[in-house]
Amino acid sequence: MHEFTDIELIELFRNADKKHYAFNLLVQKYREKIYYFVRRMVIIHDDADDVVQNIFIKVWNNLDSFREDAKFYTWLYRIAVNESLSFLKSKKLHSFLSLSSPEAMLIRALHDDNYFDGTEIQRRLTEAIIKLPKKQQIVFNMRYYDDLSYDQMSEILGTSVGALKASYHFAVKKIELSVFEN
Amino acid sequence: MKINHTISEQDQETDNLSPQLQLLRHEESGCQVPEGYFDTLSPRIIDRIKEKENRALSKSGILVFRKPVVWAPIVAVAIAAVLLIFIIPSKSNQIIPAYDELADINMAYDASYAEEVLLAESYSRDKEIEMAANIIPVTSSINVNSDVTEEEIVEYLKDQDLEIEIITEY
C-alpha cells in the first residue's frame, strides 16, 4: 500500500471528496505518537483520550488554513502541547478547589489508573516526571520518549536549542535523584 | 512521521547524564490502552466533529434569530399579516354586505320597494309643508295652503323689514 507523505495527505484533505479519507490516514499515522505524548502529560487514559480527540478536531478545523511552509508534525505537536497544557491548567483549578496540589492529584490518579501496569521503578519514573516544571516535563518527554532532535523541539516550542539542552539536562538530573537515590 | 532518527545521539546524551535512566529508556512505559482503542479513535473523532458541526448549525440559526435586526421585521410583517387577515376584513365585512344587499336588489322590478319609496317621498313632502307652516309667523297673512302670489311675498317681506331691492333681484 502506498504510504502518503504529509503534504499529499493535506492536499487530499483539501479535496472535499477525499477529506474524510485523508483525515483518517492522518489520524492513523500520528494517533499513537500523539496519544502517548499526551498520556505522559495528563497521566489518566480517559483524560488523554479527551485531549487527543480535541487535538484531532483542531486539526480538522484548521488544516485548510495550514501553511505548507511549516512541517505538519511540528504543527501537530504544537497543538498537542497547547491542548495538554490547557487541560492541566483546568486540572490545576480543580486541585485549587480541592485543596491539594495538581501534582499530588496526578500521582493519586496514576495509582488509581486501571490502564497503568508498569513496574515499581516505572511508576517512580512517572511520578518524578509529574513533579518536574511543565516546560522541563515537555522537553524530557519529547527527547527521552519521542526521540525528537533539539532542532525539531526548537521548531515546536519556539525555544532555542541551548535552552532546550539545559532543560533536558536539569530534568534528567532531577529524575535520577528522585527515582534512584531516594 | 519523518523524524531524523538520531537515536544514538539521544542515547549517548542520556547515557552520559544518567546511565541508569538510559537503561530504562527502551522499556515499556507501563501505559496501557483499552483493547481496540486506536482502531476506534478515528471514527469517534469523526462522530464528534459531525456532532459539533450540527450543533454549530442549529446554534447559528438560533443566534441569527436573537438579533433584533433579524426578528423585528419578521415580527412586524407577521403582525401586519394578522391584521390584514383577521381584523381589517372583519371591519369591511360589516360594510360590504350592506353594499351587497343593495346591489342584490333589482329596484326596477321590486314593486314593494317602489311603493315604499313613493310613500316615503309623499310623507317627507307633507312634513316639509307642515314645518314651513310652523316656521312662518302666525301673524302673517299668508295662507300656506293657498297659492302664494308675488305681491303676497313682497308684502310679507316688507313686514319682515327686508330690503326690497334684494328681493327683486330674484
CSV table of all heavy atoms in Angstrom, one decimal, chain A residues 20 23-24 30-31 35 39 45 49 53-54 60 73 115-117 122 143-144 147-148 150 152 168-169 172-173 176, chain B residues 1 3 9-10 13-14 17-18 20-21 24-25 27-30 32-34 37-38 42 44 46 48-49 53:
chain,number,residue,atom,x,y,z
A,20,HIS,N,-12.5,13.0,4.3
A,20,HIS,CA,-12.6,12.0,5.4
A,20,HIS,C,-11.5,11.0,5.3
A,20,HIS,O,-10.9,10.6,6.3
A,20,HIS,CB,-14.0,11.3,5.3
A,20,HIS,CG,-15.0,12.1,6.0
A,20,HIS,ND1,-15.7,13.1,5.4
A,20,HIS,CD2,-15.5,12.1,7.3
A,20,HIS,CE1,-16.6,13.7,6.2
A,20,HIS,NE2,-16.5,13.1,7.4
A,23,PHE,N,-8.2,12.4,6.3
A,23,PHE,CA,-8.2,12.7,7.7
A,23,PHE,C,-7.9,11.4,8.5
A,23,PHE,O,-7.2,11.3,9.4
A,23,PHE,CB,-9.5,13.3,8.2
A,23,PHE,CG,-9.5,13.7,9.6
A,23,PHE,CD1,-8.8,14.7,10.1
A,23,PHE,CD2,-10.3,12.9,10.5
A,23,PHE,CE1,-8.8,15.0,11.5
A,23,PHE,CE2,-10.3,13.2,11.9
A,23,PHE,CZ,-9.5,14.3,12.4
A,24,ASN,N,-8.6,10.3,8.0
A,24,ASN,CA,-8.4,9.0,8.6
A,24,ASN,C,-7.0,8.6,8.6
A,24,ASN,O,-6.4,8.0,9.5
A,24,ASN,CB,-9.3,8.0,7.9
A,24,ASN,CG,-10.7,7.9,8.6
A,24,ASN,OD1,-10.8,8.0,9.8
A,24,ASN,ND2,-11.7,7.7,7.8
A,30,TYR,N,-0.5,9.3,13.0
A,30,TYR,CA,0.0,10.1,14.2
A,30,TYR,C,-0.6,9.7,15.5
A,30,TYR,O,-0.2,10.2,16.6
A,30,TYR,CB,-0.1,11.6,14.0
A,30,TYR,CG,0.9,12.1,13.0
A,30,TYR,CD1,0.5,12.4,11.7
A,30,TYR,CD2,2.2,12.2,13.3
A,30,TYR,CE1,1.4,12.9,10.7
A,30,TYR,CE2,3.1,12.6,12.3
A,30,TYR,CZ,2.7,13.0,11.1
A,30,TYR,OH,3.6,13.4,10.1
A,31,ARG,N,-1.7,8.9,15.5
A,31,ARG,CA,-2.5,8.7,16.7
A,31,ARG,C,-1.7,8.2,17.9
A,31,ARG,O,-1.8,8.7,19.0
A,31,ARG,CB,-3.7,7.8,16.4
A,31,ARG,CG,-3.3,6.4,16.0
A,31,ARG,CD,-4.5,5.6,15.4
A,31,ARG,NE,-4.0,4.3,15.0
A,31,ARG,CZ,-4.7,3.4,14.3
A,31,ARG,NH1,-6.0,3.7,14.0
A,31,ARG,NH2,-4.3,2.3,13.9
A,35,TYR,N,-1.0,10.2,21.2
A,35,TYR,CA,-1.6,9.7,22.4
A,35,TYR,C,-0.6,9.6,23.5
A,35,TYR,O,-0.9,10.0,24.6
A,35,TYR,CB,-2.3,8.3,22.1
A,35,TYR,CG,-2.8,7.7,23.3
A,35,TYR,CD1,-4.0,8.1,23.9
A,35,TYR,CD2,-2.0,6.8,24.0
A,35,TYR,CE1,-4.5,7.5,25.1
A,35,TYR,CE2,-2.5,6.2,25.2
A,35,TYR,CZ,-3.7,6.6,25.8
A,35,TYR,OH,-4.1,6.0,27.0
A,39,ARG,N,-0.6,11.3,27.0
A,39,ARG,CA,-0.8,10.4,28.2
A,39,ARG,C,0.3,10.7,29.2
A,39,ARG,O,0.0,10.7,30.4
A,39,ARG,CB,-0.8,9.0,27.7
A,39,ARG,CG,-0.9,7.9,28.8
A,39,ARG,CD,-2.3,7.7,29.3
A,39,ARG,NE,-2.3,6.8,30.4
A,39,ARG,CZ,-2.5,5.5,30.3
A,39,ARG,NH1,-2.8,5.0,29.1
A,39,ARG,NH2,-2.6,4.7,31.3
A,45,HIS,N,-5.8,7.6,31.3
A,45,HIS,CA,-6.2,7.3,29.9
A,45,HIS,C,-7.4,8.1,29.5
A,45,HIS,O,-7.4,8.6,28.3
A,45,HIS,CB,-6.5,5.8,29.8
A,45,HIS,CG,-7.3,5.5,28.6
A,45,HIS,ND1,-6.7,5.5,27.3
A,45,HIS,CD2,-8.6,5.2,28.4
A,45,HIS,CE1,-7.6,5.2,26.4
A,45,HIS,NE2,-8.8,5.0,27.0
A,49,ASP,N,-7.6,10.5,26.3
A,49,ASP,CA,-8.5,10.2,25.2
A,49,ASP,C,-9.2,11.5,24.8
A,49,ASP,O,-9.3,11.9,23.6
A,49,ASP,CB,-9.5,9.1,25.6
A,49,ASP,CG,-10.5,8.8,24.5
A,49,ASP,OD1,-10.1,8.8,23.3
A,49,ASP,OD2,-11.7,8.6,24.8
A,53,GLN,N,-8.7,13.6,21.2
A,53,GLN,CA,-9.8,13.9,20.3
A,53,GLN,C,-9.9,15.4,20.0
A,53,GLN,O,-10.1,15.8,18.9
A,53,GLN,CB,-11.1,13.4,21.0
A,53,GLN,CG,-11.2,11.9,20.9
A,53,GLN,CD,-12.6,11.4,21.3
A,53,GLN,OE1,-13.6,12.0,20.9
A,53,GLN,NE2,-12.7,10.4,22.1
A,54,ASN,N,-9.7,16.2,21.1
A,54,ASN,CA,-9.7,17.6,20.8
A,54,ASN,C,-8.6,18.1,19.9
A,54,ASN,O,-8.8,19.0,19.1
A,54,ASN,CB,-9.5,18.4,22.2
A,54,ASN,CG,-10.7,18.3,23.0
A,54,ASN,OD1,-11.8,17.9,22.5
A,54,ASN,ND2,-10.6,18.5,24.3
A,60,TRP,N,-8.7,19.0,12.1
A,60,TRP,CA,-9.8,19.0,11.1
A,60,TRP,C,-10.3,20.4,10.9
A,60,TRP,O,-10.5,20.8,9.7
A,60,TRP,CB,-11.0,18.2,11.7
A,60,TRP,CG,-12.2,18.3,10.9
A,60,TRP,CD1,-13.2,19.2,10.9
A,60,TRP,CD2,-12.6,17.3,9.8
A,60,TRP,NE1,-14.2,19.0,10.0
A,60,TRP,CE2,-13.9,17.8,9.3
A,60,TRP,CE3,-12.1,16.2,9.3
A,60,TRP,CZ2,-14.6,17.1,8.3
A,60,TRP,CZ3,-12.8,15.5,8.3
A,60,TRP,CH2,-14.0,16.0,7.8
A,73,TYR,N,4.0,17.8,11.2
A,73,TYR,CA,4.2,17.2,12.6
A,73,TYR,C,4.6,18.2,13.6
A,73,TYR,O,4.2,18.1,14.8
A,73,TYR,CB,5.2,16.0,12.5
A,73,TYR,CG,6.6,16.4,12.5
A,73,TYR,CD1,7.3,16.7,13.7
A,73,TYR,CD2,7.3,16.5,11.4
A,73,TYR,CE1,8.6,17.1,13.7
A,73,TYR,CE2,8.7,16.9,11.3
A,73,TYR,CZ,9.3,17.2,12.5
A,73,TYR,OH,10.6,17.6,12.5
A,115,TYR,N,-5.4,1.6,33.6
A,115,TYR,CA,-4.6,1.3,32.4
A,115,TYR,C,-3.1,1.6,32.6
A,115,TYR,O,-2.4,2.0,31.7
A,115,TYR,CB,-5.2,2.1,31.3
A,115,TYR,CG,-6.6,1.7,30.9
A,115,TYR,CD1,-7.7,2.5,31.2
A,115,TYR,CD2,-6.8,0.5,30.3
A,115,TYR,CE1,-8.9,2.1,30.9
A,115,TYR,CE2,-8.0,0.0,30.0
A,115,TYR,CZ,-9.1,0.8,30.3
A,115,TYR,OH,-10.4,0.4,29.9
A,116,PHE,N,-2.7,1.6,33.9
A,116,PHE,CA,-1.2,1.6,34.1
A,116,PHE,C,-0.8,0.4,34.8
A,116,PHE,O,-1.2,0.1,35.9
A,116,PHE,CB,-0.9,2.9,35.0
A,116,PHE,CG,0.6,3.1,35.2
A,116,PHE,CD1,1.4,3.7,34.2
A,116,PHE,CD2,1.2,2.6,36.3
A,116,PHE,CE1,2.7,3.9,34.4
A,116,PHE,CE2,2.6,2.7,36.5
A,116,PHE,CZ,3.4,3.3,35.5
A,117,ASP,N,0.1,-0.4,34.2
A,117,ASP,CA,0.5,-1.6,34.8
A,117,ASP,C,2.1,-1.7,34.8
A,117,ASP,O,2.6,-2.8,34.6
A,117,ASP,CB,-0.1,-2.8,34.2
A,117,ASP,CG,0.4,-3.1,32.7
A,117,ASP,OD1,1.0,-2.1,32.2
A,117,ASP,OD2,0.1,-4.1,32.2
A,122,GLN,N,9.1,2.0,37.1
A,122,GLN,CA,8.4,2.8,36.1
A,122,GLN,C,7.4,3.8,36.7
A,122,GLN,O,7.3,4.9,36.3
A,122,GLN,CB,7.7,1.9,35.1
A,122,GLN,CG,8.7,1.3,34.1
A,122,GLN,CD,8.0,0.2,33.3
A,122,GLN,OE1,7.1,-0.4,33.7
A,122,GLN,NE2,8.6,-0.1,32.2
A,143,ARG,N,12.3,14.4,24.3
A,143,ARG,CA,13.6,13.9,24.0
A,143,ARG,C,13.8,12.4,24.4
A,143,ARG,O,14.3,11.6,23.6
A,143,ARG,CB,14.6,14.8,24.8
A,143,ARG,CG,16.1,14.5,24.6
A,143,ARG,CD,16.6,15.0,23.3
A,143,ARG,NE,18.0,14.8,23.2
A,143,ARG,CZ,18.7,14.9,22.0
A,143,ARG,NH1,18.0,15.1,20.9
A,143,ARG,NH2,20.0,14.7,22.0
A,144,TYR,N,13.3,12.1,25.6
A,144,TYR,CA,13.5,10.8,26.2
A,144,TYR,C,12.6,9.7,25.5
A,144,TYR,O,13.1,8.6,25.2
A,144,TYR,CB,13.3,10.8,27.7
A,144,TYR,CG,13.6,9.6,28.5
A,144,TYR,CD1,14.9,9.3,28.8
A,144,TYR,CD2,12.6,8.7,28.9
A,144,TYR,CE1,15.2,8.1,29.6
A,144,TYR,CE2,12.9,7.6,29.6
A,144,TYR,CZ,14.2,7.3,30.0
A,144,TYR,OH,14.5,6.1,30.7
A,147,ASP,N,12.1,10.7,21.0
A,147,ASP,CA,13.4,10.8,20.2
A,147,ASP,C,13.5,12.0,19.3
A,147,ASP,O,14.0,12.0,18.2
A,147,ASP,CB,13.5,9.5,19.3
A,147,ASP,CG,13.9,8.3,20.0
A,147,ASP,OD1,14.5,8.5,21.1
A,147,ASP,OD2,13.6,7.2,19.6
A,148,LEU,N,12.8,13.1,19.7
A,148,LEU,CA,12.9,14.3,18.8
A,148,LEU,C,14.3,15.0,19.0
A,148,LEU,O,14.9,14.9,20.1
A,148,LEU,CB,11.8,15.3,19.2
A,148,LEU,CG,10.4,14.9,19.0
A,148,LEU,CD1,9.4,16.1,19.2
A,148,LEU,CD2,10.1,14.4,17.6
A,150,TYR,N,16.8,18.3,19.0
A,150,TYR,CA,16.7,19.6,19.6
A,150,TYR,C,16.2,20.6,18.5
A,150,TYR,O,15.4,21.5,18.9
A,150,TYR,CB,18.0,20.1,20.2
A,150,TYR,CG,18.3,19.4,21.5
A,150,TYR,CD1,19.4,18.6,21.7
A,150,TYR,CD2,17.5,19.6,22.6
A,150,TYR,CE1,19.7,18.0,22.9
A,150,TYR,CE2,17.7,19.0,23.8
A,150,TYR,CZ,18.9,18.2,24.0
A,150,TYR,OH,19.1,17.6,25.2
A,152,GLN,N,14.1,19.9,16.1
A,152,GLN,CA,12.6,19.7,15.9
A,152,GLN,C,11.9,20.3,17.2
A,152,GLN,O,10.9,21.0,17.0
A,152,GLN,CB,12.3,18.2,15.8
A,152,GLN,CG,12.8,17.6,14.5
A,152,GLN,CD,12.7,16.1,14.5
A,152,GLN,OE1,13.0,15.5,15.5
A,152,GLN,NE2,12.3,15.5,13.4
A,168,TYR,N,16.7,19.8,29.4
A,168,TYR,CA,16.8,18.3,29.4
A,168,TYR,C,17.8,17.9,30.4
A,168,TYR,O,17.5,16.9,31.2
A,168,TYR,CB,17.2,17.8,28.0
A,168,TYR,CG,17.2,16.3,27.9
A,168,TYR,CD1,16.0,15.6,28.0
A,168,TYR,CD2,18.3,15.6,27.7
A,168,TYR,CE1,16.0,14.2,28.0
A,168,TYR,CE2,18.3,14.2,27.7
A,168,TYR,CZ,17.1,13.5,27.8
A,168,TYR,OH,17.1,12.1,27.8
A,169,HIS,N,18.9,18.5,30.5
A,169,HIS,CA,20.0,18.1,31.5
A,169,HIS,C,19.4,18.3,32.9
A,169,HIS,O,19.6,17.4,33.7
A,169,HIS,CB,21.2,19.0,31.3
A,169,HIS,CG,22.0,18.6,30.1
A,169,HIS,ND1,23.4,18.6,30.0
A,169,HIS,CD2,21.6,18.1,28.9
A,169,HIS,CE1,23.8,18.2,28.8
A,169,HIS,NE2,22.7,17.9,28.1
A,172,VAL,N,16.8,15.5,33.6
A,172,VAL,CA,17.4,14.1,33.8
A,172,VAL,C,18.0,14.1,35.2
A,172,VAL,O,17.9,13.1,35.9
A,172,VAL,CB,18.5,13.9,32.7
A,172,VAL,CG1,19.3,12.6,33.1
A,172,VAL,CG2,17.9,13.7,31.3
A,173,LYS,N,18.7,15.1,35.6
A,173,LYS,CA,19.4,15.1,36.9
A,173,LYS,C,18.3,15.0,38.1
A,173,LYS,O,18.5,14.2,39.0
A,173,LYS,CB,20.2,16.3,37.1
A,173,LYS,CG,21.5,16.3,36.3
A,173,LYS,CD,22.4,15.2,36.8
A,173,LYS,CE,23.6,14.9,35.8
A,173,LYS,NZ,24.3,13.6,36.1
A,176,GLU,N,16.8,11.4,38.0
A,176,GLU,CA,17.7,10.5,38.5
A,176,GLU,C,17.8,10.5,40.0
A,176,GLU,O,17.7,9.4,40.7
A,176,GLU,CB,19.1,10.8,38.0
A,176,GLU,CG,20.2,9.7,38.3
A,176,GLU,CD,21.5,10.1,37.8
A,176,GLU,OE1,21.9,11.3,38.0
A,176,GLU,OE2,22.2,9.2,37.3
B,1,MET,N,5.6,9.7,10.6
B,1,MET,CA,6.3,10.9,10.9
B,1,MET,C,7.8,10.8,10.5
B,1,MET,O,8.4,9.8,10.9
B,1,MET,CB,6.2,11.3,12.4
B,1,MET,CG,6.8,12.6,12.7
B,1,MET,SD,6.2,13.2,14.3
B,1,MET,CE,7.2,12.3,15.4
B,3,ILE,N,11.0,11.5,11.3
B,3,ILE,CA,11.9,12.1,12.3
B,3,ILE,C,13.3,11.7,11.9
B,3,ILE,O,13.6,10.6,11.6
B,3,ILE,CB,11.5,11.6,13.7
B,3,ILE,CG1,10.1,12.1,14.0
B,3,ILE,CG2,12.5,12.1,14.7
B,3,ILE,CD1,9.5,11.4,15.3
B,9,GLU,N,22.5,9.5,19.2
B,9,GLU,CA,22.9,10.8,19.8
B,9,GLU,C,22.1,11.0,21.1
B,9,GLU,O,22.6,11.4,22.1
B,9,GLU,CB,22.5,12.0,18.8
B,9,GLU,CG,22.9,13.3,19.3
B,9,GLU,CD,22.0,14.4,18.8
B,9,GLU,OE1,21.6,14.3,17.6
B,9,GLU,OE2,21.6,15.3,19.5
B,10,GLN,N,20.8,10.7,21.0
B,10,GLN,CA,19.9,10.8,22.2
B,10,GLN,C,20.4,9.8,23.3
B,10,GLN,O,20.4,10.2,24.4
B,10,GLN,CB,18.4,10.5,21.9
B,10,GLN,CG,17.7,11.8,21.5
B,10,GLN,CD,17.5,11.8,20.0
B,10,GLN,OE1,18.4,11.5,19.2
B,10,GLN,NE2,16.3,12.3,19.6
B,13,GLU,N,23.6,10.9,24.8
B,13,GLU,CA,23.4,12.1,25.7
B,13,GLU,C,22.8,11.7,27.1
B,13,GLU,O,23.3,12.0,28.1
B,13,GLU,CB,22.5,13.1,25.0
B,13,GLU,CG,22.3,14.4,25.8
B,13,GLU,CD,21.2,15.2,25.3
B,13,GLU,OE1,20.2,14.7,24.7
B,13,GLU,OE2,21.2,16.4,25.4
B,14,THR,N,21.8,10.8,27.0
B,14,THR,CA,21.1,10.4,28.2
B,14,THR,C,22.1,9.5,29.0
B,14,THR,O,22.2,9.6,30.3
B,14,THR,CB,19.8,9.6,27.9
B,14,THR,OG1,19.0,10.4,27.0
B,14,THR,CG2,19.0,9.4,29.2
B,17,LEU,N,24.4,11.5,30.9
B,17,LEU,CA,23.8,12.2,32.1
B,17,LEU,C,23.4,11.2,33.2
B,17,LEU,O,23.6,11.5,34.4
B,17,LEU,CB,22.6,13.0,31.6
B,17,LEU,CG,22.8,14.2,30.7
B,17,LEU,CD1,21.5,14.7,30.1
B,17,LEU,CD2,23.4,15.3,31.6
B,18,SER,N,22.8,10.1,32.8
B,18,SER,CA,22.4,9.1,33.8
B,18,SER,C,22.3,7.7,33.1
B,18,SER,O,21.3,7.4,32.5
B,18,SER,CB,21.0,9.6,34.3
B,18,SER,OG,20.4,8.5,35.1
B,20,GLN,N,21.7,4.9,34.4
B,20,GLN,CA,20.5,4.1,34.9
B,20,GLN,C,19.2,4.5,34.2
B,20,GLN,O,18.4,3.6,33.8
B,20,GLN,CB,20.3,4.4,36.4
B,20,GLN,CG,21.4,3.7,37.3
B,20,GLN,CD,21.3,4.2,38.7
B,20,GLN,OE1,21.4,5.4,39.0
B,20,GLN,NE2,21.1,3.2,39.6
B,21,LEU,N,19.1,5.8,34.0
B,21,LEU,CA,17.9,6.2,33.2
B,21,LEU,C,17.9,5.7,31.8
B,21,LEU,O,16.9,5.4,31.2
B,21,LEU,CB,17.8,7.8,33.3
B,21,LEU,CG,16.5,8.4,33.1
B,21,LEU,CD1,15.5,7.9,34.1
B,21,LEU,CD2,16.6,9.9,33.2
B,24,LEU,N,16.5,2.3,31.4
B,24,LEU,CA,15.0,2.3,31.4
B,24,LEU,C,14.4,2.8,30.1
B,24,LEU,O,13.2,2.5,29.9
B,24,LEU,CB,14.5,3.2,32.5
B,24,LEU,CG,14.4,2.7,34.0
B,24,LEU,CD1,13.9,3.7,34.9
B,24,LEU,CD2,13.4,1.5,34.0
B,25,ARG,N,15.1,3.5,29.3
B,25,ARG,CA,14.6,4.2,28.2
B,25,ARG,C,13.8,3.3,27.2
B,25,ARG,O,12.8,3.8,26.7
B,25,ARG,CB,15.7,4.9,27.5
B,25,ARG,CG,15.3,6.0,26.5
B,25,ARG,CD,16.3,7.0,26.2
B,25,ARG,NE,15.8,7.9,25.2
B,25,ARG,CZ,16.3,7.9,24.0
B,25,ARG,NH1,17.2,7.1,23.6
B,25,ARG,NH2,15.7,8.8,23.1
B,27,GLU,N,12.4,0.4,27.7
B,27,GLU,CA,11.4,-0.5,28.3
B,27,GLU,C,10.0,0.0,28.0
B,27,GLU,O,9.8,1.2,27.7
B,27,GLU,CB,11.6,-0.6,29.8
B,27,GLU,CG,12.7,-1.5,30.2
B,27,GLU,CD,12.8,-1.7,31.8
B,27,GLU,OE1,11.8,-1.4,32.4
B,27,GLU,OE2,13.9,-2.1,32.2
B,28,GLU,N,9.1,-0.9,28.2
B,28,GLU,CA,7.7,-0.4,28.1
B,28,GLU,C,7.4,0.6,29.2
B,28,GLU,O,7.9,0.4,30.3
B,28,GLU,CB,6.7,-1.6,28.3
B,28,GLU,CG,6.7,-2.6,27.1
B,28,GLU,CD,5.9,-2.1,25.9
B,28,GLU,OE1,4.8,-1.5,26.2
B,28,GLU,OE2,6.4,-2.2,24.8
B,29,SER,N,6.6,1.6,28.9
B,29,SER,CA,6.4,2.6,29.9
B,29,SER,C,5.3,2.2,31.0
B,29,SER,O,5.2,2.8,32.0
B,29,SER,CB,5.9,3.9,29.3
B,29,SER,OG,4.6,3.7,28.7
B,30,GLY,N,4.5,1.2,30.7
B,30,GLY,CA,3.5,0.7,31.6
B,30,GLY,C,2.1,1.3,31.3
B,30,GLY,O,1.1,1.0,31.9
B,32,GLN,N,-1.1,1.5,29.4
B,32,GLN,CA,-1.9,0.6,28.6
B,32,GLN,C,-3.1,1.4,28.0
B,32,GLN,O,-3.5,2.4,28.6
B,32,GLN,CB,-2.4,-0.6,29.4
B,32,GLN,CG,-1.3,-1.4,30.0
B,32,GLN,CD,-0.4,-2.0,29.0
B,32,GLN,OE1,-0.9,-2.6,28.0
B,32,GLN,NE2,0.9,-2.0,29.2
B,33,VAL,N,-3.7,0.8,27.0
B,33,VAL,CA,-5.0,1.4,26.5
B,33,VAL,C,-6.0,0.3,26.4
B,33,VAL,O,-5.6,-0.9,26.3
B,33,VAL,CB,-4.8,2.1,25.1
B,33,VAL,CG1,-3.9,3.3,25.2
B,33,VAL,CG2,-4.2,1.1,24.1
B,34,PRO,N,-7.3,0.6,26.4
B,34,PRO,CA,-8.3,-0.4,26.2
B,34,PRO,C,-8.1,-1.1,24.9
B,34,PRO,O,-7.6,-0.5,23.9
B,34,PRO,CB,-9.6,0.4,26.3
B,34,PRO,CG,-9.3,1.6,26.9
B,34,PRO,CD,-7.9,2.0,26.6
B,37,TYR,N,-8.6,0.3,21.2
B,37,TYR,CA,-8.7,1.8,21.3
B,37,TYR,C,-8.3,2.6,20.1
B,37,TYR,O,-9.1,3.4,19.6
B,37,TYR,CB,-7.9,2.3,22.6
B,37,TYR,CG,-7.8,3.8,22.7
B,37,TYR,CD1,-8.9,4.5,23.1
B,37,TYR,CD2,-6.6,4.4,22.3
B,37,TYR,CE1,-8.8,5.9,23.1
B,37,TYR,CE2,-6.5,5.8,22.4
B,37,TYR,CZ,-7.6,6.5,22.8
B,37,TYR,OH,-7.5,7.9,22.8
B,38,PHE,N,-7.1,2.3,19.6
B,38,PHE,CA,-6.7,3.1,18.4
B,38,PHE,C,-7.5,2.8,17.2
B,38,PHE,O,-7.6,3.7,16.3
B,38,PHE,CB,-5.2,2.8,18.2
B,38,PHE,CG,-4.3,3.4,19.2
B,38,PHE,CD1,-3.5,2.6,20.1
B,38,PHE,CD2,-4.2,4.7,19.4
B,38,PHE,CE1,-2.7,3.1,21.1
B,38,PHE,CE2,-3.4,5.3,20.4
B,38,PHE,CZ,-2.7,4.5,21.2
B,42,SER,N,-10.4,7.1,15.3
B,42,SER,CA,-10.7,7.9,14.1
B,42,SER,C,-12.2,8.1,14.0
B,42,SER,O,-12.8,9.2,13.8
B,42,SER,CB,-10.1,7.4,12.9
B,42,SER,OG,-10.3,8.2,11.8
B,44,ARG,N,-14.6,7.8,16.2
B,44,ARG,CA,-15.1,8.6,17.3
B,44,ARG,C,-14.8,10.1,17.1
B,44,ARG,O,-15.7,10.9,17.4
B,44,ARG,CB,-14.5,8.1,18.6
B,44,ARG,CG,-15.2,6.8,19.1
B,44,ARG,CD,-14.8,6.3,20.5
B,44,ARG,NE,-13.4,6.0,20.6
B,44,ARG,CZ,-12.6,6.6,21.4
B,44,ARG,NH1,-13.0,7.5,22.2
B,44,ARG,NH2,-11.3,6.2,21.4
B,46,ILE,N,-14.5,11.5,14.2
B,46,ILE,CA,-15.4,12.0,13.1
B,46,ILE,C,-16.8,12.2,13.6
B,46,ILE,O,-17.4,13.2,13.3
B,46,ILE,CB,-15.4,10.9,11.9
B,46,ILE,CG1,-14.0,10.9,11.3
B,46,ILE,CG2,-16.5,11.2,10.9
B,46,ILE,CD1,-13.7,12.0,10.3
B,48,ARG,N,-17.6,13.1,16.7
B,48,ARG,CA,-17.6,14.3,17.4
B,48,ARG,C,-17.6,15.5,16.6
B,48,ARG,O,-18.3,16.5,16.8
B,48,ARG,CB,-16.4,14.3,18.4
B,48,ARG,CG,-16.8,13.7,19.8
B,48,ARG,CD,-15.7,13.9,20.7
B,48,ARG,NE,-15.4,15.3,21.1
B,48,ARG,CZ,-14.4,15.8,21.9
B,48,ARG,NH1,-13.6,14.9,22.4
B,48,ARG,NH2,-14.3,17.0,22.2
B,49,ILE,N,-16.9,15.5,15.4
B,49,ILE,CA,-16.8,16.6,14.5
B,49,ILE,C,-18.2,16.8,13.9
B,49,ILE,O,-18.7,18.0,13.9
B,49,ILE,CB,-15.8,16.3,13.4
B,49,ILE,CG1,-14.4,16.4,14.0
B,49,ILE,CG2,-15.9,17.3,12.2
B,49,ILE,CD1,-13.3,15.8,13.1
B,53,GLU,N,-20.5,20.1,14.3
B,53,GLU,CA,-21.0,20.9,13.2
B,53,GLU,C,-22.5,21.0,13.2
B,53,GLU,O,-23.0,22.1,12.9
B,53,GLU,CB,-20.5,20.2,11.9
B,53,GLU,CG,-19.0,20.4,11.6
B,53,GLU,CD,-18.5,19.7,10.4
B,53,GLU,OE1,-19.2,18.8,9.9
B,53,GLU,OE2,-17.4,20.0,10.0
